[in-house]
Structure formats: structure tokens, C-alpha cells
């Protein structure tokens, strides 16, 4: 009886065995199932081959010089970002080796000499685990992408902003490079919803999100902070650099918003605060409070303008 890969596309199976004749024997069985096989005889070769990222299953010799199969399994498990099943092939029949193999991160065991049908059955079962795991990993990636995204505008949401702000502040503190936060708020947004309905309001928010995504450099990250308020994280930007970006966004919004929705020409107000002008402990709260105080002043100065944090005016507020 022959088991083939008829149920799925051919898989890539990595054989790791220090004895070339054994590796060749296993390779023939693997290929007879319709799969692609690569054989490695040393642990360094094996890590290189695995690092290429296209391996679906590993058949691992337990006893090898220098780094044995158990140790190599631990290394692979600690490095891999995806779950690849590992089956140990070994002459060791004792239970101790079985325990060691499973504890090291192996999934199953085959005792040498390898019986072709035994191996074919294991390959089939392990590849099923591999494809289920891949589907799960893909779903997890999609879910975490969705969890970080604002559903209306498609840009980052408040949760991903908070996470990124923390890590960017740390990077800024370590590298000494400035980091600036822009807070942007659509002026009189409530009147858009009141006068034109929520569908138009939503369309305006989407247009603003698109404008932010298009106007920012690759390293600047736009977010919907909440309601009609947006934020842009500008790594490696002084407050003045970020204000220039803010001014471009402000002007572009005034210029293009009229054609974007039925609500006519709209404007936005922007506040900026960066690590280059703030003093004292730089926490996410401190930089956000400062940017918010600057935004408040922009609103207070008649809206449709960019204000940078100024301790003279904003210190009390901040
Ligand atoms: Mg060996």
C-alpha cells in the first residue's frame, strides 16, 4: 500500500541525519509519497535549510555528533515563528529517549530501521497537523491585524497607538532621536453629523484617514485616536518637523475636503508636542497631555491652524 500526497500539494520535508546512507533511504520513502525532500548531515546545515522558511516537516535523527537531535530541536523551536512538526528517527529504543525527544519539542518517534509504511503514515498525520496549524496561524495574524485597526478608516486604532507610543518613546530615549506626537481634530464635526447625517460624517472621517495615510512619510504612523480625533506618531522628527507635516495636512484637508463629501469644505486643528521641547520625565501621558494642550490652544485660536506645545501658554494645561 502506498500513501501519497494526493490530498494536498507536495510538502517540503527536511531530513536531518549524520549518516548519508540512512538519509538517502529516508529520502526515497519521502519522495515516493510525492513530497520534496532535502537532506542535511550536520546541525549547521540543518539550521541553514530550516531558516529558508519553507519546511513543513522535519525528520530528525536523535544521535548526531556535536549537537544532537534533542538539542537541535530546542534551538529550532526557540527560533521558529511557525510550528513545524518534528519526528525523531532513532536507533535508541529506550523509553528515556522517547521522553527526552517529546520534552525537547518533538511530536513523534520512529525507531530505526525505518519501515516505509510506518514513515508514510507518520508523514501523513504530521502534515495534517502542519496544515491545521498553518490555518490557525493565518487566522491569528488576521485577527491581530484587525484588532489593531480602526474599522471605519482602516488606519491604526487607539489601542495600537498606545502600544506604539510606548515603544517609540523607549526607542527615542535610547537613541536620543526626537519623537513627536501630532493630535488632529476635525473642526465642528458634530455639525456634519447633525446637518448631513452620520453616513456623510463617516465618509469625512474616512477621507481624513486617507489623507493622513497619503501625506505622511513611511515612518510616520497615522491613527484614529477616537471620534473625530486623529494622531500621527512621527519618529525621528522634531516638533518643528512635525508641525510642517501638520501644516501640509491642514492645508490639504481644507483644499480637498469640499470634493470628498456632501458636507462641503472642512477644516481641522492640530497640536504638536515632541521630546525635543519637553522637559522632565517623558511618559506617554506627558507627551499626550502636551499635544492635547497645544490642540486645545489651536481650537481656542480660531481653529484651522497648527499649534506646537509652548510651556509659556500650555504649562498649566499640561
Ligand atoms: Mg545518527
Amino acid at each position: 500500500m502506498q500513501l501519497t500526497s494526493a490530498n494536498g500539494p507536495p510538502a517540503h520535508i527536511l531530513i536531518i541525519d549524520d549518516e548519508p546512507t540512512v538519509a538517502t533511504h529516508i529520502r526515497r520513502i519521502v519522495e515516493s509519497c510525492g513530497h520534496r525532500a532535502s537532506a542535511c548531515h550536520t546541525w549547521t546545515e540543518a539550521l541553514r535549510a530550516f531558516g529558508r522558511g519553507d519546511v513543513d516537516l522535519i525528520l530528525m535523527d536523535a544521535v548526531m555528533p556535536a549537537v544532537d537531535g534533542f538539542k537541535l530541536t530546542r534551538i529550532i523551536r526557540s527560533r521558529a515563528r511557525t510550528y513545524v512538526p518534528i519526528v525523531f528517527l532513532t536507533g535508541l529504543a529506550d523509553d528515556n529517549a522517547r521522553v527526552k525527544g517529546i520534552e525537547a519539542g518533538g511530536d513523534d518517534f520512529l525507531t530505526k530501521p525505518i519501515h516505509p509504511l510506518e514513515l508514510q503514515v507518520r508523514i501523513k498525520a504530521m502534515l495534517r497537523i502542519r496544515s491545521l496549524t498553518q490555518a490557525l496561524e493565518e487566522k491569528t495574524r488576521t485577527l491581530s491585524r484587525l484588532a489593531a485597526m480602526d474599522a471605519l478608516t482602516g488606519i491604526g486604532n487607539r489601542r495600537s497607538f498606545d502600544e506604539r507610543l510606548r515603544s517609540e518613546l523607549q526607542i527615542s530615549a535610547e537613541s536620543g532621536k526626537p519623537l513627536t506626537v501630532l493630535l488632529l481634530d476635525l473642526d465642528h464635526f458634530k455639525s456634519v453629523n447633525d446637518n448631513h447625517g452620520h453616513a456623510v460624517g463617516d465618509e469625512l472621517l474616512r477621507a481624513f484617514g486617507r489623507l493622513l495615510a497619503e501625506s505622511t512619510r513611511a515612518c510616520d504612523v497615522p491613527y484614529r485616536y477616537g471620534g473625530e480625533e486623529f494622531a500621527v506618531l512621527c519618529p525621528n522628527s522634531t516638533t518643528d518637523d512635525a508641525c510642517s507635516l501638520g501644516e501640509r495636512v491642514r492645508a490639504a484637508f481644507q483644499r480637498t475636503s469640499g470634493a470628498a463629501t456632501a458636507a462641503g469644505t472642512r477644516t481641522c486643528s492640530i497640536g504638536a508636542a515632541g521630546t525635543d521641547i519637553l522637559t522632565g520625565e517623558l511618559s506617554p501621558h506627558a507627551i499626550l497631555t502636551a499635544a492635547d494642550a497645544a490642540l486645545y490652544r489651536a481650537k481656542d485660536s480660531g481653529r484651522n491652524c497648527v499649534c506646537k506645545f509652548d510651556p509659556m501658554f500650555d504649562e498649566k494645561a499640561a
Side-chain angles (χ1 to χ4, degrees), residues 17-19 61 63-64 112:
D17 199 304
D18 61 317
E19 288 168 60
D61 183 20
V63 181
M64 292 187 288
K112 291 180 186 175

Side-chain angles (χ1 to χ4, degrees), residues 117-134:
L117 186 62
E118 274 290 293
L119 178 56
Q120 287 168 6
V121 169
R122 289 304 200 293
I123 288 174
K124 192 108 180 167
M126 288 298 142
L127 289 179
R128 189 155 54 210
I129 291 175
R130 167 69 174 158
S131 82
L132 288 172
T133 311
Q134 273 181 310

Side-chain angles (χ1 to χ4, degrees), residues 32 36 43 85 104 146 148 187 214 227 230 238 247 287 315:
S32 77
R36 185 157 70 85
W43 68 278
L146 288 177
D187 295 330
E214 285 160 10
F230 291 78
T238 63
E247 181 49 35
I287 195 165
E315 207 142 57

